[in-house]
Amino acid sequence: MKRRSWLLSGAAAGGALLVGWSVLPARSRLGNAALWPPAQGEVALNGWIKIATDGAVVLAMNRSEMGQGVHTALAMLVAEELDVPLARVRLQQAGHDAIFGSAESFVGFLPFHADDREPGQETLAFRGARWMTLKFARELGINITGGSASVADAWEPLRLAAATARARLLGVASLRWKLPVAELTVSDGVVSHASGPRAHYGNLVEQAALSPPGDVVLKERAAYRVIGRPAQRVDLAEKCDGRAVFGLDVRLPGMVYASVLQAPLLGGSLASVDADSALRQPGVERIVRLPPLGGAGAAIALVGRTTWHTREAARSLRVEWRAPPSGALDSKRIEAALEAAARDAADHERGFAFHSRGDSKAALAGAAKRFEALYRAPYLAHATMEPMNCTARVAGGRVEVWAPTQVPGLAREAAARVAGVARDAVTVHVTYLGGGFGRRLEVDFVAQAVRVALETAGRPVQLAWSREEDFRHDFYRPAAVALLRAGFDAGGGVVAFEAHSAADALEPRWMERALPALAGPVDAPDKTTVEGLYDLPYAIAHQRIAHVATSSGVPIGNWRSVGHSHNAFFAESFVDELAHAAGADPLKFRLDLLRHRPRHAAVLTLAAQKARWGRPLPPGRARGLALHESFGTIVAQVVEVSLADRRPRVHRVVCALDCGVIVHPQGVAQQVESSVVFGLSAALYGRIDIEGGVVRQQNFPDYPLLTLAQTPAIETHTVASALPPTGMGEPALPPLAPALANALFALTGRRLRELPLAPLLASI
Amino acid sequence: MNLTINERSVAIDDAQTDPRMPLLWLLRDVLQMTGTKFGCGVAACGACTVQVDGAAVRSCVTPLSVLQGKSIRTIEGLGGAAGPHPLQRAWVEHQVPQCGYCQSGMLMAAAALLEANRDPGDADIDAAIDNLCRCGSYPRVRSAIKAAARELAQRRRASRP
């Protein structure tokens, strides 16, 4: 039996990506029946799949649904290999075993250049690092929904788990009917033979649980009936009738509500609080002082009968906050310091060089023409529609937590730490998330809720932030500055590219908060600071991409697409500048530098073709384009824009992409639409200002977001691919800002090097 | 006081509430009807939209004191015994929701629009649907509203004698 051969299905000739898999026995990724809590009428065939006696399929769902469609995509993998309709798959929250942990998102942290990672041509160094990281990640078993990695993580194990289950069920039927497996067919979860016998999975599962699988074969792509086909999202109906339960919707008998007040100054602490008046308000029960917990600063919680009663009463709290000893933060000062650091790094070759090739200094010195530009991006808020919240109950030595979380295992750790219990004494229920975008990779709201629950005498308490608290106590997308340089040779070719950037390193800070066991005494270089700059696909012989990791004190975290969110704007705007300086068409200029990158060239060409690049537009309109790879997915976008009264109007965004094998086509389209709208809000309006240590933006009126009326037509075009799936949660976001800025340049002749763009246009 | 919510009379215990309490919190925290969502508390996002006498109203700023004698409809009452509202059917067919948190408000704003305007054009939809969505469901909201308007028109034609 070719034990390992099934692992190569879907990867065609390469197989190179699966070095890691062949070291870890595949069965160890399947887990076993003991991972499931006992349930009547359901039989587990491995750690992922149960079959109910009525034939329903139960999938252990280890990822959080925050709109990205992961519940549906993962269920589709199982429906495919088990030959059941998607509607027959039921989801049950997975436990905390290591088999449910993340791996691809950790591989995503590896600082390898695109040259080393090209699928089918990976270098030995990358393969080795990837193997080590996968092994390490599998041991740790940390479960993160993020990094656009869920489908990539699930692609092998879920299909294998389902195919193994199917093989065992067929094996039982084969033995029972004394007919060869090869002659049995499965349709709709019913196994049958042409000569008559039929049985649905529920009739076979008890015996199947006792039998080994024998030969397991994953389906060929040509045989797919679910993967790659239209499918209705599994969460649709309940999101249209009010039944879907988000974190804020958890309702339990005897539950009380808590509002939170945090120091208006970032890093501030509590000096004194006079709660006499507040505690006398109707519906208010008690006040709880919260020390800094899980990344949150000092805070006060007011517990009462409803959210409203506690918010009302909070207004009569008399609180004195103490400023942090380091002084009040100021984003303008920070941004000026970032600019100085970037310039210094560029002029004196400082910073940590994440990528170096040739001799960029000499090449620039000898270049026929040189260009330099400074690019800037501000702090940004996540602004999920559902504000931060968590419900917790501490009773009888056990802790129960209901959280809209992207990190159930880390939430469990935080809850255990705060309550002073072993992690086995904690149960985490993951609800739907009203948006994540990386904000719910944090455990601050979980730690706060558990801390309050320690004082509510065993009653569950729902701790809910106001929108103002949410805006003012985010973990912001860091502000970043990059000084970019390029040189042309006498023939007009780009020979050198340098990027020297400065921004806070966010991953070490995130680790300190969420994964303290892994945080080291010294910050390791954080590749997310330069992702999108150091790994450009363009053929430029001499490069230096270096970064100065600053430490401003502003709470920062992962924001959808992380470093790519600003670096793509920097890089693709600058490449556009070079194209225009060379008198070249921006499309052709890029294609000339992508001769050795057929996948990138194909995506760019598709976007241009669908957008009718080069064809005339109505007067007053212009197009801009951008290409960017992130999280393994290549995306190109063409934006059509006009200006009226110095206000931009985006008419159309054409998006082409290569994300490997597509599991849920509508899901991919939804993520493109999502990224474009999210990206336009950020590109046009997004900025967080910190003045006197306080975040100025407090609620939606201060933080404009794109509305339905402003939304362009959005088109999604995909390149057919046989490579394993890569993510779509984030990759369509980074190219949006540069494509828009490039379009505005084509329209106005004015190069915009700072985000957000709308205020700059107002002064044209 | 008594309120009419989804065509039923609901007795509100004055000891549990306050005439200043916004309808949103009565619905969510007192009546445990969590379909209507909290997004901002300042009527800027529309997640809390319900219908009051047919009009779209932001319940986070609407105190109980002004609701006596009015008819309130929430997302829980949008569909009926006969099945989902055509908007809900269109929402499913066009795969509108992503995270779904804003969708109750979107649907109620859309319901109010269709009750006031049977055949809304793009400009009408632009003006009436200013709910915020962070997931980018806007293009599908627009298509679904038009589809539901078409279905309602068909139903009206079919039921004419």
Side-chain angles (χ1 to χ4, degrees):
Chain A
M1 180 172 80
K2 289 184 283 180
R3 284 186 333 235
R4 314 274 186 235
S5 63
W6 69 71
L7 298 171
L8 300 179
S9 72
L17 283 178
L18 301 161
V19 167
W21 290 114
S22 72
V23 177
L24 273 161
R27 297 259 158 68
S28 74
R29 305 268 355 264
L30 299 193
N32 57 60
L35 292 180
W36 292 93
Q40 286 274 46
E42 291 170 356
V43 180
L45 291 177
N46 52 53
W48 295 95
I49 309 260
K50 284 193 292 193
I51 309 281
T53 42
D54 67 355
V57 175
V58 182
L59 167 61
M61 179 44 64
N62 59 332
R63 293 285 187 267
S64 308
E65 177 59 67
M66 47 189 176
Q68 83 283 46
V70 69
H71 281 190
T72 304
L74 268 46
M76 286 172 76
L77 299 180
V78 165
E80 181 69 73
E81 292 291 347
L82 265 170
D83 279 311
V84 293
L86 181 60
R88 187 83 50 79
V89 180
R90 195 158 42 85
L91 305 179
Q92 182 177 331
Q93 185 184 327
H96 294 282
D97 189 86
I99 66 166
F100 302 121
S102 303
E104 290 300 335
S105 33
F106 286 99
V107 173
F109 284 133
L110 293 174
F112 279 91
H113 193 271
D115 288 346
D116 300 317
R117 288 189 276 109
E118 189 59 29
Q121 292 146 44
E122 296 88 351
T123 61
L124 202 55
F126 174 66
R127 284 160 62 172
R130 185 165 195 280
W131 180 88
M132 288 281 332
T133 304
L134 282 175
K135 190 157 169 53
F136 177 64
R138 301 260 172 252
E139 291 301 312
L140 280 183
I142 295 168
N143 185 357
I144 293 174
T145 302
S148 300
S150 294
V151 175
D153 260 342
W155 179 244
E156 288 290 332
L158 256 61
R159 286 184 306 143
L160 188 57
T164 306
R166 182 182 187 275
R168 290 165 90 173
L169 292 158
L170 282 180
V172 167
S174 165
L175 277 173
R176 196 180 283 179
W177 302 332
K178 302 200 193 338
L179 292 164
V181 169
E183 287 178 22
L184 302 179
T185 50
V186 184
S187 170
D188 227 26
V190 173
V191 184
S192 60
H193 185 268
S195 64
R198 296 162 57 84
H200 73 66
Y201 283 159
N203 303 141
L204 302 164
V205 68
E206 264 153 6
Q207 223 177 315
L210 305 168
S211 354
D215 272 331
V216 180
V217 179
L218 289 176
K219 280 192 189 179
E220 295 292 326
R221 284 190 63 206
Y224 284 165
R225 302 222 304 253
V226 178
I227 294 173
R229 302 270 190 107
Q232 189 174 100
R233 283 179 71 124
V234 301
D235 53 353
L236 272 183
E238 59 184 326
K239 288 180 175 177
C240 295
D241 64 13
R243 278 180 302 127
V245 177
F246 297 86
L248 266 176
D249 301 331
V250 170
R251 293 290 177 270
L252 301 159
M255 192 173 91
V256 291
Y257 297 81
S259 287
V260 179
L261 252 78
Q262 302 175 98
L265 269 114
L266 292 171
S269 55
L270 186 58
S272 71
V273 53
D274 175 357
D276 281 351
S277 175
L279 288 172
R280 278 185 272 120
Q281 304 293 315
V284 178
E285 221 183 81
R286 71 181 55 234
I287 179 178
V288 179
R289 282 159 214 251
L290 301 171
L293 288 168
I300 297 162
L302 258 188
V303 182
R305 185 189 310 147
T306 71
T307 316
W308 180 77
H309 284 100
T310 59
R311 298 242 168 110
E312 271 302 292
R315 303 208 273 161
S316 44
L317 280 172
R318 273 179 246 316
V319 192
E320 262 177 50
W321 301 99
R322 206 179 282 122
S326 46
L329 295 166
D330 185 293
S331 53
K332 281 200 177 47
R333 265 207 310 268
I334 292 168
E335 285 160 16
L338 291 179
E339 180 177 337
R343 285 193 191 281
D344 175 71
D347 291 339
H348 302 107
E349 277 200 327
R350 284 209 250 271
F352 181 86
F354 281 86
H355 183 67
S356 231
R357 128 193 338 195
D359 185 340
S360 58
K361 191 168 169 190
L364 276 173
K369 280 215 287 207
R370 270 182 295 280
F371 294 91
E372 178 179 295
L374 186 90
Y375 279 84
R376 277 181 258 257
Y379 290 104
L380 290 177
H382 291 83
T384 55
M385 284 312 299
E386 179 193 17
M388 296 307 111
N389 68 85
C390 180
T391 304
R393 167 168 57 207
V394 179
R398 288 204 57 86
V399 180
E400 229 177 324
V401 161
W402 292 258
T405 175
Q406 294 174 243
V407 286
L410 302 182
R412 182 173 70 147
E413 298 283 336
R417 259 199 315 276
V418 171
V421 300
R423 68 166 87 119
D424 292 337
V426 179
T427 304
V428 174
H429 305 279
V430 180
T431 64
Y432 281 124
L433 283 64
F437 312 128
R439 179 56 178 91
R440 299 198 224 252
L441 291 168
E442 307 289 340
V443 295
D444 50 336
F445 45 91
V446 174
Q448 288 178 337
V450 175
R451 181 62 187 79
V452 174
L454 291 176
E455 299 196 22
T456 54
R459 289 168 305 157
V461 55
Q462 181 166 101
L463 180 132
W465 291 23
S466 66
R467 177 58 63 184
E468 290 80 6
E469 291 293 335
D470 195 284
F471 264 110
R472 289 198 306 227
H473 293 279
D474 200 340
F475 292 94
Y476 305 95
R477 199 282 305 270
V481 173
L483 187 73
L484 304 179
R485 287 178 176 152
F488 285 96
D489 63 22
V494 184
V495 293
F497 172 70
E498 278 188 355
H500 290 86
S501 53
D504 282 5
L506 68 94
E507 297 306 355
R509 305 286 79 77
W510 176 73
M511 286 226 165
E512 279 163 2
R513 294 189 296 265
L515 257 179
L518 281 190
V522 172
D523 291 352
D526 178 0
K527 162 257 187 191
T528 69
T529 56
V530 293
E531 60 189 3
L533 272 178
Y534 86 106
D535 49 0
L536 293 178
Y538 302 115
I540 301 171
H542 302 273
Q543 299 189 33
R544 180 175 203 261
I545 290 89
H547 182 83
V548 176
T550 53
S551 197
S552 66
V554 175
I556 47 171
N558 290 277
W559 187 95
R560 195 175 191 180
S561 78
V562 200
H564 296 280
S565 69
H566 46 77
N567 288 336
F569 170 66
F570 300 163
E572 278 293 289
S573 299
F574 190 61
V575 167
D576 207 68
E577 288 202 60
L578 299 179
H580 284 280
D585 170 80
L587 170 66
K588 185 166 186 316
F589 185 79
R590 286 174 173 81
L591 285 174
D592 282 345
L593 293 167
L594 291 171
R595 305 246 174 109
H596 61 314
R597 296 240 185 266
R599 289 176 67 224
H600 292 77
V603 170
L604 185 55
T605 302
L606 180 59
Q609 181 205 332
K610 294 296 184 183
R612 298 157 71 83
W613 182 267
R615 307 277 207 92
L617 275 171
R621 280 201 206 185
R623 292 186 190 95
L625 66 79
L627 169 75
H628 197 76
E629 178 183 351
S630 63
F631 308 99
T633 296
I634 303 168
V635 180
Q637 284 168 352
V638 178
V639 170
E640 264 174 48
V641 73
S642 65
L643 262 184
D645 276 338
R646 301 199 210 124
R647 292 221 287 260
R649 184 172 170 97
V650 181
H651 298 275
R652 191 170 168 231
V653 177
V654 173
C655 186
L657 63 105
D658 179 346
C659 62
V661 169
I662 289 174
V663 176
H664 187 200
Q666 282 272 53
V668 168
Q670 276 190 306
Q671 287 315 291
V672 169
E673 291 149 27
S674 184
S675 303
V676 166
V677 174
F678 197 88
L680 280 175
S681 292
L684 286 169
Y685 309 121
R687 80 170 292 121
I688 287 289
D689 300 299
I690 306 166
E691 290 153 18
V694 178
V695 171
R696 191 166 66 72
Q697 287 78 9
Q698 301 210 26
N699 206 317
F700 291 126
D702 308 323
Y703 197 77
L705 296 170
L706 208 74
T707 59
L708 185 150
Q710 297 169 312
T711 300
I714 302 169
E715 292 170 31
T716 301
H717 303 281
T718 56
V719 172
S721 169
L723 291 174
T726 53
M728 275 311 299
E730 294 160 289
L733 176 49
L736 196 290
L740 174 58
N742 295 340
L744 288 167
F745 175 77
L747 189 62
T748 66
R750 169 90 174 257
R751 178 59 64 180
L752 303 169
R753 300 196 180 99
E754 192 178 326
L755 295 174
L757 301 172
L760 297 179
L761 293 165
S763 61
I764 285 186
Chain B
M1 68 188 302
N2 277 291
L3 286 181
T4 306
I5 302 178
N6 297 331
E7 296 178 356
R8 293 176 54 221
S9 180
V10 179
I12 308 303
D13 177 358
D14 290 332
Q16 291 285 315
T17 62
D18 186 302
R20 297 169 303 148
M21 180 190 272
L23 173 62
L24 176 66
W25 301 112
L26 175 84
L27 290 170
R28 290 185 57 81
D29 294 358
V30 178
L31 300 177
Q32 319 272 288
M33 291 169 64
T34 57
T36 309
K37 307 301 184 196
F38 168 74
C40 68
V42 298
C45 76
C48 66
T49 305
V50 298
Q51 281 179 284
V52 177
D53 289 343
V57 163
R58 296 201 168 166
S59 63
C60 72
V61 294
T62 306
L64 298 181
S65 56
V66 311
L67 293 167
Q68 185 77 40
K70 304 222 160 86
S71 173
I72 298 162
R73 184 160 78 160
T74 71
I75 184 70
E76 289 92 345
L78 186 59
H85 190 283
L87 279 169
Q88 290 169 311
R89 253 203 300 283
W91 244 242
V92 167
E93 204 178 295
H94 291 254
Q95 195 148 276
V96 177
Q98 293 189 36
C99 90
Y101 194 78
C102 75
Q103 297 298 325
S104 298
M106 286 281 186
L107 279 158
M108 297 316 291
L113 169 63
L114 288 182
E115 280 170 33
N117 181 343
R118 290 176 166 185
D119 188 19
D122 282 328
D124 302 311
I125 295 172
D126 286 351
I129 312 296
D130 58 350
N131 302 50
L132 293 178
C133 169
R134 283 296 266 158
C135 295
S137 66
Y138 299 137
R140 292 170 190 255
V141 168
R142 190 191 291 282
S143 308
I145 289 175
K146 291 180 181 172
R150 281 193 301 270
E151 187 189 323
L152 284 164
Q154 244 165 33
R155 278 197 191 174
R156 279 191 300 272
R157 279 194 297 272
S159 66
R160 272 196 210 118

